[in-house]
């Protein structure tokens, strides 16, 4: 971690941040009655991804960082599940944006797994 000057330099944080922005755009057209239900859950899960990466980075130990990376990975899978539910319920209007977010999630999953493996070896 010593060669990284900020959590914002981490590609996994940057990709997580992109997921948040894209997820907010995707959910803006969800039904109003879902605002405090599935929409809220989706937004919270997406925000949790880069937030836990940042928090883990701030803990300054690889073991603690790994723990927060695990939480971030869990939030990523939670988000994916919630988006699949929203799609099945036909809440998603923009299928291109949905596919884009799912693609970002798949990329982030691979990146998080590789990053976790690299810090757990040290």
């Amino acid at each position: 971690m010593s060669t990284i000057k900020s959590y914002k330099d981490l590609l996994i944080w940057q990709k997580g941040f992109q997921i948040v922005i894209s997820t907010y755009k995707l959910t803006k057209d969800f039904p109003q009655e879902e605002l405090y239900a599935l929409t809220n859950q989706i937004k919270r899960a997406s925000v949790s991804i880069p937030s836990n990466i940042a928090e883990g980075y701030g803990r300054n130990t690889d073991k603690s960082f790994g723990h927060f990376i695990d939480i971030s990975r869990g939030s990523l899978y939670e988000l994916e599940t919630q988006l699949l539910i929203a799609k099945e319920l036909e809440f998603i209007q923009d299928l291109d944006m949905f596919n884009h977010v799912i693609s970002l999630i798949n990329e982030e999953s691979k990146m998080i797994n590789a990053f976790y493996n690299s810090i757990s070896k040290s």
Side-chain angles (χ1 to χ4, degrees):
M1 284 194 323
S2 61
T3 60
I4 300 168
K5 295 178 182 161
S6 168
Y7 63 89
K8 292 180 266 183
D9 294 333
L10 296 169
L11 294 177
I12 60 170
W13 181 87
Q14 294 169 12
K15 182 74 65 181
F17 191 85
Q18 290 176 352
I19 290 170
V20 174
I21 302 306
S22 296
T23 298
Y24 268 70
K25 289 177 182 178
L26 183 64
T27 60
K28 71 179 172 61
D29 294 326
F30 277 25
Q32 186 64 31
E33 65 268 13
E34 287 299 318
L35 184 60
Y36 299 107
L38 189 56
T39 306
N40 184 47
Q41 286 292 105
I42 288 171
K43 288 178 176 180
R44 289 178 64 190
S46 72
V47 168
S48 177
I49 298 162
S51 297
N52 277 292
I53 293 166
E55 184 171 356
Y57 178 83
R59 297 296 173 117
N60 267 341
T61 68
D62 287 345
K63 183 177 179 183
S64 186
F65 197 6
H67 172 72
F68 282 93
I69 295 296
D70 270 343
I71 294 170
S72 182
R73 180 176 25 212
S75 295
L76 184 69
Y77 296 150
E78 179 182 0
L79 172 62
E80 181 178 34
T81 299
Q82 293 162 348
L83 290 176
L84 292 169
I85 291 167
K87 183 175 183 270
E88 284 298 312
L89 293 172
E90 299 179 354
F91 294 165
I92 294 176
Q93 304 300 315
D94 187 343
L95 290 180
D96 288 337
M97 179 59 85
F98 170 80
N99 290 329
H100 173 69
V101 174
I102 294 297
S103 176
L104 290 173
I105 288 170
N106 290 332
E107 291 171 21
E108 179 78 334
S109 177
K110 292 173 187 171
M111 290 168 64
I112 284 176
N113 288 334
F115 188 83
Y116 179 84
N117 289 337
S118 75
I119 65 169
S120 61
K121 288 179 184 173
S122 53

